[in-house]
Structures are given as structure tokens and as C-alpha cells.
Amino acid sequence: EVSFSNIDSDYGLDTASNLVGIAFDEREGGYLAGVIAAGIAASGTYTRVGIISGLPVPAVLRFTTAFTNAVVDFCPACEDSEIIVCHTFSNADDCGTLAAQTLLAMGVDVIFGAGGLTGSQGIVYAAAPTGTVVTSSTGTDFTKTEDPVYVIGVDSDEWVSTFGSGSVAGSEMVVTSARKMVDVGVQRVIGEFLVGIGGGRSLQMNVANGGMGYAECHEACAAFDSTEVEAVYAAMGTLD
């Protein structure tokens, strides 16, 4: 019998006997990213954060809701977070870039891109230095007219993936990413299959078991004090 595992899936009680779903607690990753964003906004020009959301599916909603909750908790003086929902993960009609332009016009200190390629395109534009020509995934060229702001990625470490490990203009503005540790989940499932622990279940990945977290700050470590987010991360790791 061939065994399977599917990422970002929770099949509940109906999981087939040869299948394991790997689900992630996006609330934890979103909250950690929000703590960092709050620290930046608290001393920023506008005391406000922006969010570029992809399709409002449950995983995205968990990320963005937890993110905004953290901003409220850790920056009481901040304005309400601004969120623009793009009903696409593929940056259709350049929604991610246009959303970034709108948020920058509103006045935000940091932008969280939570929507696949849509969010990634948005934060690439937002982080780019003034005057940079940013070519979107649709092939459209946008000349950056606004000042760059700090940005936060999602799922993977976007400083590495989207910003090419520092090779893309604006990489110094990437403060972190809300990370799903997919490698940890996959390794765990494979190891369990190899020792005879079968399917019929879904694995719940979170901070406590090494499945959720936040990316390092790379070039932007001076942008915020990591004390608060480290304390929250430690507390999450000890929750039952």
C-alpha cells in the first residue's frame, strides 16, 4: 500500500488509513508577525500597519486576524490596521502591487503580505527604494514613487525566496515572515511512516512542536526590539 501526506490539510475523522494531513496553526505565526509589526508601528510615522490579503480562505483569515489582534495588544496607540483583500493568490490584475500603492498612500509603517504571489508582489513594491522600476508577475512595470516601508512575508522566509537572499531591491526592509515549518512536518510524517505509525489522521503543527515560527530579521534587525516577540514565542512553546 502506498502512503500519502498532504500539506495544509486537516481531514479530521474522515482521513483515509494511508493518508496523513499536515495542518499548521496560522494563528500563532500571524500573531508573532503582528507583535513585530506593532513594535515598528509604535515608533513609526503613522502608527499604522497594512495588510495585503489573498483570497479570504480560512488559513488566510487565521493569519490576518491573529496579526491584527497582536497589533492591538502590543500597540494600543496604533490606528486600526488597514486590510485590502485581493480575491486572488496569483496577483491577477496586479492586485498586490495596486494594494501596496493604496496602503502607502494611506500612510502605513509596515505591510504584511498574506496571500501567495499577490502578497509577495505587494511587499516587493512596498519595500523597493523610491525610483525603482518594479516589474510585476504580469509583466507590468511600476516605477516606485513612494518611500519604502518595512514589510513582512508569509509561509516561507520571503527574504530568501521572494527577495533572493538579499539580491532584490528593498531586501533590507524585510523584517520577518510568518513561517510554516513545512520541512519539520514532512520529516516527522516520513519518520513516523518508516517506524510503522500509519495514516488516518492529521498532524497539527504549531510552535510547541516546531511547526510554526517567524523568520530571522536578516538585514533589518535594527528595525525593532525582539524582546517582546521572543517572550511570546517562548510562551507559545510551553502551552499545552
Side-chain angles (χ1 to χ4, degrees), residues 157-174 217-219:
D157 182 347
E158 292 209 55
W159 182 87
V160 174
S161 57
T162 301
F163 286 83
S165 296
S167 64
V168 174
S171 63
E172 70 279 4
M173 304 302 289
V174 183
C217 48
H218 300 290
E219 303 170 72

Side-chain angles (χ1 to χ4, degrees), residues 21-161:
I22 304 178
F24 297 86
D25 192 342
E26 292 90 358
R27 297 170 301 175
E28 292 185 339
Y31 196 88
L32 291 166
V35 174
I36 293 174
I40 294 171
S43 58
T45 302
Y46 304 102
T47 58
R48 181 161 54 184
V49 305
I51 302 168
I52 300 172
S53 166
L55 282 164
V57 298
V60 171
L61 291 173
R62 287 191 290 269
F63 265 131
T64 57
T65 301
F67 180 89
T68 56
N69 287 343
V71 173
V72 171
D73 290 344
F74 286 86
C75 184
C78 279
E79 302 287 336
D80 290 342
S81 300
E82 297 288 347
I83 181 166
I84 296 177
V85 178
C86 290
H87 291 273
T88 172
F89 287 127
S90 61
N91 196 41
D93 300 319
D94 289 311
C95 188
T97 304
L98 296 176
Q101 290 180 333
T102 300
L103 290 172
L104 291 172
M106 290 179 176
V108 295
D109 301 294
V110 58
I111 292 176
F112 178 35
L117 183 59
T118 302
S120 297
Q121 289 289 288
I123 64 174
V124 165
Y125 182 87
T130 306
T132 302
V133 176
V134 179
T135 302
S136 77
S137 59
T138 67
T140 305
D141 287 339
F142 293 87
T143 300
K144 180 75 176 297
T145 58
E146 309 90 346
D147 290 333
V149 299
Y150 290 112
V151 297
I152 295 173
V154 78
D155 288 341
S156 64
D157 182 347
E158 292 209 55
W159 182 87
V160 174
S161 57

